[in-house]
Amino acid sequence: MRKTTKSPGEKIVKDIKRATRKHYSSEEKIRIVLDGLRGEDSIAELCRREG
């Protein structure tokens, strides 16, 4: 398997994206799933609305 090396800039961008990722609490996750089970919106739409 061939490995590709990433530039320092790519590593910095990846680290920033990881650090700024949205973290959902357990309560938020449960609410999103229950809203999704209702079928009015997709899970992706519900998550986008929260962010």
Side-chain angles (χ1 to χ4, degrees), residues 4-40:
T4 58
T5 58
K6 297 200 181 228
S7 70
E10 288 175 312
K11 184 178 179 340
I12 291 170
V13 169
K14 187 175 181 179
D15 290 343
I16 290 171
K17 284 183 180 179
R18 184 178 297 124
T20 59
R21 186 176 297 154
K22 170 74 174 153
H23 297 281
Y24 292 99
S25 69
S26 296
E27 291 83 8
E28 288 174 304
K29 291 177 186 179
I30 292 168
R31 188 189 51 72
I32 290 169
V33 170
L34 291 175
D35 287 348
L37 290 174
R38 275 194 219 122
E40 297 170 3

Side-chain angles (χ1 to χ4, degrees), residues 37-51:
L37 290 174
R38 275 194 219 122
E40 297 170 3
D41 295 317
S42 71
I43 299 294
E45 290 170 346
L46 294 169
C47 293
R48 273 195 297 272
R49 192 177 340 154
E50 298 304 313

Side-chain angles (χ1 to χ4, degrees), residues 1-5:
M1 183 174 230
R2 200 164 135 199
K3 291 186 177 182
T4 58
T5 58

